[in-house]
Amino acid sequence: MMVFFKKNYLGIFVCLAIAVPSWILGKKFPVMGGAVIAIIIGMIITLFWNDKGKASAGIRFTSKMILQAAVVLLGFGMNLSVVLDTGKQSLPIIICTISTSLGIAWILHKVMATAPVIDADDDEVAQAISVIFFFNVLAALLFPSLGKIIGFDITTGDAFGIFAGTAINDTSSVTAAASTWDSMWNLGSQTLDKAVTVKLTRTLAIIPITLVLAYQWEREAKRPGTSTSGFSFRRAFPMFIVFFVLASIITTFCLSIGISSDVFNPLKELSKFFIIMAMAAIGLNSNVIKLIKSGGKPIILGGCCWIGLTLVSLLLQHVMEIW
């Protein structure tokens, strides 16, 4: 525990220092929301603080583990039947957006989710992640306004939640966009619950694809003169999803024996704050200027893919009369 504290405390404290004022400002300016404010503050700080030194480990921990903890906490207060219904409702859109993602993977040749399986080198992974992440952050910043312009229902979080969960790749940006929509229209956590459930369903659907790629790559590895690090199911499977489902099961049981859902409200509020902390870390890890200088072609390709995913999600929601 002491070693963990010494390694991570500085970065966690920096993210916390950004999250607190972002939380307060988000309450005062719900059109932006605390999550988006935290991203912007983090990105601005990174323009002047590129080498984060000892803070780097804690920032990485916050962007990954704190975000996953936030998702698990969202499971409390969510009835399992609602989770299953949401997954079933969004499944056609998920299948189509995954198909679109496979097209993106074919164009760009590398995707973040399969990097541990196909042994992409560090430079290729870094470039792919940077481009994908750049457009995910743009989505978190722009999609709430886009949802308002195109006329999503503002009385519930269903339509925008499905849109965010299917059209945005990264969980952190999904939660940021959904949290902003909730703040804009005083929806509590309706949109966030919907978006996270859709996103986790989509993540689960990617696992079979990853396993197929793993099988093919293992066959390649057995050829003379080739070597890979091997496939790990633990790396491919996002275990925090299991904990999210367990939290939902606990909630379902508690509700069935008469316990009020209000009991879980503090955990859901803590989840929202953890999301803002994670967004601060995401912003701190984003160097837009460096990305733009690294080359225009990947950004153009990424932009085309991003627009394609967005249009597919919107088209299917329109056809299914979800909004």
Side-chain angles (χ1 to χ4, degrees), residues 124-179:
E124 291 170 327
V125 173
Q127 188 178 54
I129 290 174
S130 297
V131 171
I132 292 169
F133 184 76
F134 172 71
F135 286 104
N136 281 332
V137 171
L138 276 185
L141 297 175
L142 300 178
F143 276 13
S145 296
L146 175 64
K148 180 182 178 182
I149 292 170
I150 63 179
F152 276 137
D153 185 2
I154 63 174
T155 60
T156 73
D158 288 357
F160 188 83
I162 292 175
F163 174 54
T166 55
I168 305 176
N169 287 313
D170 184 64
T171 304
S172 61
S173 298
V174 170
T175 57
S179 296

Side-chain angles (χ1 to χ4, degrees), residues 76-96:
F76 291 103
M78 292 185 67
N79 193 302
L80 186 60
S81 63
V82 175
V83 174
L84 296 175
D85 288 343
T86 298
K88 183 170 63 176
Q89 179 190 29
S90 59
L91 189 59
I93 303 176
I94 290 170
I95 292 172
C96 290

Side-chain angles (χ1 to χ4, degrees), residues 187-300:
L187 296 175
S189 64
Q190 287 185 38
T191 314
L192 190 57
D193 292 344
K194 194 81 171 183
V196 166
T197 304
V198 172
K199 171 57 184 171
L200 297 189
T201 304
R202 187 176 178 214
T203 302
L204 286 173
I206 291 173
I207 292 172
I209 298 168
T210 307
L211 293 176
V212 170
L213 287 173
Y215 172 73
Q216 292 178 340
W217 198 249
E218 287 289 345
R219 290 182 61 185
E220 290 291 328
K222 292 178 181 178
R223 294 181 179 179
T226 60
S227 62
T228 69
S229 59
F231 171 70
S232 168
F233 181 78
R234 186 175 181 180
R235 285 187 297 172
F237 187 83
M239 291 301 296
F240 72 95
I241 296 179
V242 175
F243 297 117
F244 171 83
V245 173
L246 287 175
S248 180
I249 291 172
I250 292 171
T251 299
T252 304
F253 173 76
C254 291
L255 294 177
S256 69
I257 61 175
I259 297 176
S260 173
S261 60
D262 293 342
V263 171
F264 300 105
N265 287 342
L267 291 177
K268 301 195 84 170
E269 285 299 311
L270 180 61
S271 172
K272 292 179 183 179
F273 184 76
F274 277 179
I275 287 171
I276 293 176
M277 275 190 69
M279 294 310 104
I282 296 296
L284 289 168
N285 283 327
S286 305
N287 192 322
V288 177
I289 293 178
K290 183 178 179 181
L291 174 63
I292 293 173
K293 287 181 177 179
S294 68
K297 187 178 291 186
I299 296 176
I300 293 172

